[in-house]
Amino acid sequence: QVQLVESGGGLVQAGGSLRLSCAASGRTSSTYVMGWFHQAPGLEREFVAAIKWSGGSTWYANSVKGRFTISRDNAKNTVYLQMNSLKSEDTAVYYCAAAFRFITGQAMASMGSWDTWGQGTQVTVSS
């Protein structure tokens, strides 16, 4: 089992930046890819970004390309989401997720493709 704990959320003005962290513990060697989703009130959870644990390939939702950067520190078993040029529509709870098998492309956008989730961290962007 892998446990995920997010941190780094908070309140920021539009145009500002935040960096989220996701610390993984447990059987992290079984992790194939880690990702971030967000969920705004009343809406479905949506894919934001993902990174392959070994090799570092990345994927992004079109809405965050050029603004968000996902990265990892394998030594610390931590994945980061650097969020720049934040907009009010980025306001949501951000969840970290891990998958233990090969997933890519459209499968990444499906919640069912992911095996483990963190508890979420709130990001609020004020306009």
Side-chain angles (χ1 to χ4, degrees):
Q1 286 285 358
V2 173
Q3 294 79 42
L4 305 174
V5 178
E6 302 98 332
S7 61
L11 174 64
V12 64
Q13 288 189 333
S17 299
L18 277 177
R19 189 178 80 156
L20 306 182
S21 300
C22 173
S25 60
R27 295 184 60 183
T28 56
S29 60
S30 61
T31 301
Y32 175 79
V33 62
M34 292 189 67
W36 289 94
F37 283 67
H38 67 196
Q39 186 169 18
L43 299 179
E44 294 185 350
R45 198 170 296 188
E46 294 182 333
F47 172 79
V48 174
I51 186 166
K52 191 177 176 184
W53 196 245
S54 176
S57 298
T58 57
W59 298 264
Y60 294 94
N62 288 334
S63 60
V64 306
K65 281 182 181 176
R67 299 190 299 124
F68 291 9
T69 302
I70 189 170
S71 62
R72 81 214 190 282
D73 184 332
N74 293 60
K76 294 182 179 181
N77 289 329
T78 299
V79 172
Y80 304 98
L81 185 67
Q82 178 66 43
M83 306 186 293
N84 298 329
S85 302
L86 282 162
K87 306 175 182 178
S88 57
E89 50 262 44
D90 295 320
T91 295
V93 177
Y94 282 72
Y95 296 91
C96 180
F100 306 138
R101 59 194 181 280
F102 176 83
I103 56 171
T104 190
Q106 283 193 327
M108 287 195 171
S110 170
M111 287 181 59
S113 298
W114 299 82
D115 299 298
T116 299
W117 296 84
Q119 82 289 350
T121 185
Q122 176 70 47
V123 171
T124 303
V125 183
S126 63
S127 56

